[in-house]
Amino acid sequence: MLGLINRSIQCFVRDTYGEAAWNRIAGAAGLGFTSFEALMTYPDEMTQRVVETACEVLSKPRDTLLEDMGTYLVSTPEREGVRRLLRFGGETFVDFLFSLEDLQARARLAVPGLVLPEISTTEHANGNLTIRCRSCRAGFGYVMMGVLRAMADDYGALVFLEYAGVENGEEVVSVQLLDAAFAEARSFTLAPGGA
């Protein structure tokens, strides 16, 4: 797995729970180091071990930890690049949800070698949508829940999100759009530093 993913986990834990907590996790996971290199490749099992160890050390359920990490990736000022990549998806929250189908390709343009899950969006009646994530790594649906929650806030939309489980190898997230203009959206311009 590209180290950028591992580095994101490291930064999330360090920024949220402190350097000491990250050092305990790195030690307990048997990494032999305390800092991932973003452009190096690491075995997938190492990433899983770090997540499992973080859950134990922080006494957090896995789904909660992964959802919190998804929120962190979008809402933390130091990760503004992720927010910007996502906001290029459209003017409204619904536009954004449908743009997720192109996220894999957009991410590869930004970071060659980064492999994200395939995402599909289906719209149903009454503002209900379904997001499906096909990934070889279980748990991405929870990360997506955190991303969706933060992006709904970014767009000023009021939504109800629910992790609906796994169907045919895809993690499913249900989205109920309660009010597309519930609050004022955060500003966004194409030029960095303008939002």
Side-chain angles (χ1 to χ4, degrees):
M1 179 173 299
L2 190 64
L4 183 62
I5 303 294
N6 297 314
R7 179 81 179 171
S8 295
I9 297 168
Q10 172 190 329
C11 291
F12 162 67
V13 170
R14 188 193 62 216
D15 293 350
T16 307
Y17 300 98
E19 189 77 37
W22 169 250
N23 289 337
R24 279 198 322 273
I25 291 164
L31 296 181
F33 55 86
T34 58
S35 187
F36 284 102
E37 294 294 328
L39 297 179
M40 285 185 61
T41 302
Y42 298 90
D44 284 355
E45 57 271 5
M46 181 180 287
T47 306
Q48 295 302 322
R49 193 168 64 243
V50 168
V51 170
E52 290 167 10
T53 304
C55 291
E56 292 170 16
V57 169
L58 301 172
S59 299
K60 288 269 190 187
R62 187 171 187 269
D63 55 346
T64 301
L65 185 80
L66 292 174
E67 185 174 341
D68 289 350
M69 190 173 93
T71 301
Y72 165 86
L73 289 172
V74 176
S75 61
T76 304
E78 292 81 13
R79 307 289 166 246
E80 181 67 17
V82 176
R83 173 187 175 253
R84 292 187 59 70
L85 178 70
L86 295 173
R87 279 299 295 262
F88 276 112
E91 286 189 37
T92 69
F93 184 66
V94 172
D95 291 342
F96 157 73
L97 292 176
F98 279 99
S99 78
L100 291 172
E101 296 181 350
D102 301 324
L103 183 61
Q104 191 179 58
R106 281 189 284 144
R108 258 196 311 265
L109 284 173
V111 182
L114 179 61
V115 178
L116 293 180
E118 293 177 35
I119 299 172
S120 65
T121 302
T122 306
E123 189 168 15
H124 310 286
N126 302 323
N128 295 316
L129 298 101
T130 302
I131 309 297
R132 295 179 173 275
C133 308
R134 179 173 293 282
S135 174
C136 59
R137 294 169 201 87
F140 184 81
Y142 290 109
V143 175
M144 180 56 66
M145 288 261 301
V147 168
L148 293 175
R149 193 171 314 284
M151 291 305 294
D153 287 346
D154 208 75
Y155 278 97
L158 179 63
V159 299
F160 177 76
L161 302 171
E162 183 177 22
Y163 183 85
V166 179
E167 295 176 4
N168 301 318
E170 297 176 324
E171 291 184 81
V172 180
V173 177
S174 295
V175 180
Q176 184 177 9
L177 181 60
L178 301 173
D179 188 346
F182 179 74
E184 187 175 339
R186 275 180 67 193
S187 63
F188 177 74
T189 60
L190 294 177

